[in-house]
Amino acid sequence: MPKQKITKEMVVDAAFEIAKNGGMEKVLVKQIADRIGCSVQPIYSYCKNMEGLRQDVVDRTCAFVQEYIVQHLEPGDMFRSTGRAYIRLAGEEPHLFRIFILHQRQHISSLEELYQTEAAPRVAEYIAEQLHISISKAKQLHLNMLIYTIGIGTAFSVTTPGISTDEIDVQLEMAYQAFLNQVMDE
């Protein structure tokens, strides 16, 4: 039987699947080698250090999350459906959700910088247009919902047997209405 050629993509794929199923703490060279069906040597040849491989897993996770959110958007209610999609992701893929939320973000020293890094460039304009509010109010509403969704999504992803999605949806809607009322009253 010919020897299998191990590629960096195979290593990253295996590490991503391990992280998806068990969290980043399970991404170890031995587990990757076992998943691929090889010795640890090819893993070490692609990974000078585990930090680089873990960053590849974070990058793959971020791409997965972006694709997931896009697939679960409702065209008529993109703003709210984005929050619901994050919560759905937290329930379906709790390990990936935590990796996405908890990965290190460099050079962020304010909520404005966090918002600029995490929000799609035109989302505030879209929200402003849909709700007939200023862009600054739309940004504030969006930032508030991002913070709230991250918090409740994290709680959702770490509870056992789990908070019901109906309960989470009610909380999200209440938060949305409260934040919307706040920006409308300003």
Side-chain angles (χ1 to χ4, degrees):
M1 181 170 165
K3 195 172 185 179
Q4 180 183 12
K5 172 133 174 65
I6 306 301
T7 65
K8 182 175 182 184
E9 185 175 346
M10 291 168 69
V11 172
V12 174
D13 287 346
F16 175 77
E17 287 301 317
I18 291 166
K20 183 178 179 182
N21 294 322
M24 191 67 90
E25 60 277 3
K26 301 289 185 188
V27 177
L28 304 168
V29 172
K30 176 77 170 106
Q31 280 67 25
I32 296 167
D34 288 348
R35 185 163 190 98
I36 295 173
C38 67
S39 71
V40 298
Q41 186 56 42
I43 312 305
Y44 285 118
S45 69
Y46 288 115
C47 307
K48 300 299 180 222
N49 62 51
M50 285 303 287
E51 197 55 41
L53 178 59
R54 286 191 176 101
Q55 184 58 53
D56 289 340
V57 173
V58 167
D59 294 345
R60 176 78 57 89
T61 300
C62 290
F64 176 90
V65 169
Q66 287 177 334
E67 184 177 314
Y68 184 96
I69 299 305
V70 167
Q71 289 175 353
H72 292 88
L73 287 177
E74 299 166 21
D77 192 8
M78 290 179 67
F79 182 55
R80 284 189 186 130
S81 68
T82 300
R84 287 190 297 268
Y86 277 106
I87 297 303
R88 186 174 177 179
L89 173 69
E92 291 176 8
E93 300 292 350
H95 298 295
L96 294 182
F97 181 83
R98 287 192 298 273
I99 291 167
F100 174 73
I101 294 301
L102 299 176
H103 77 272
Q104 187 69 39
R105 288 160 173 84
Q106 300 292 326
H107 312 294
I108 304 292
S109 60
S110 71
L111 289 175
E112 176 62 27
E113 289 175 358
L114 178 67
Y115 182 80
Q116 294 302 323
T117 302
E118 296 298 316
R122 300 206 42 170
V123 77
E125 293 171 24
Y126 172 80
I127 295 166
E129 202 174 283
Q130 293 295 306
L131 299 176
H132 308 289
I133 59 177
S134 70
I135 291 177
S136 65
K137 287 182 177 187
K139 280 184 178 180
Q140 186 59 53
L141 174 63
H142 191 209
L143 177 61
N144 287 342
M145 286 306 296
L146 280 172
I147 293 167
Y148 190 83
T149 302
I150 288 167
I152 201 165
T154 302
F156 186 53
S157 74
V158 298
T159 57
T160 306
I163 303 166
S164 82
T165 54
D166 290 340
E167 186 176 358
I168 298 289
D169 285 344
V170 167
Q171 285 300 126
L172 277 177
E173 186 60 29
M174 286 174 27
Y176 171 74
Q177 290 302 322
F179 292 139
L180 181 59
N181 290 340
Q182 178 187 10
V183 298
M184 296 302 246
D185 290 343
E186 291 176 353

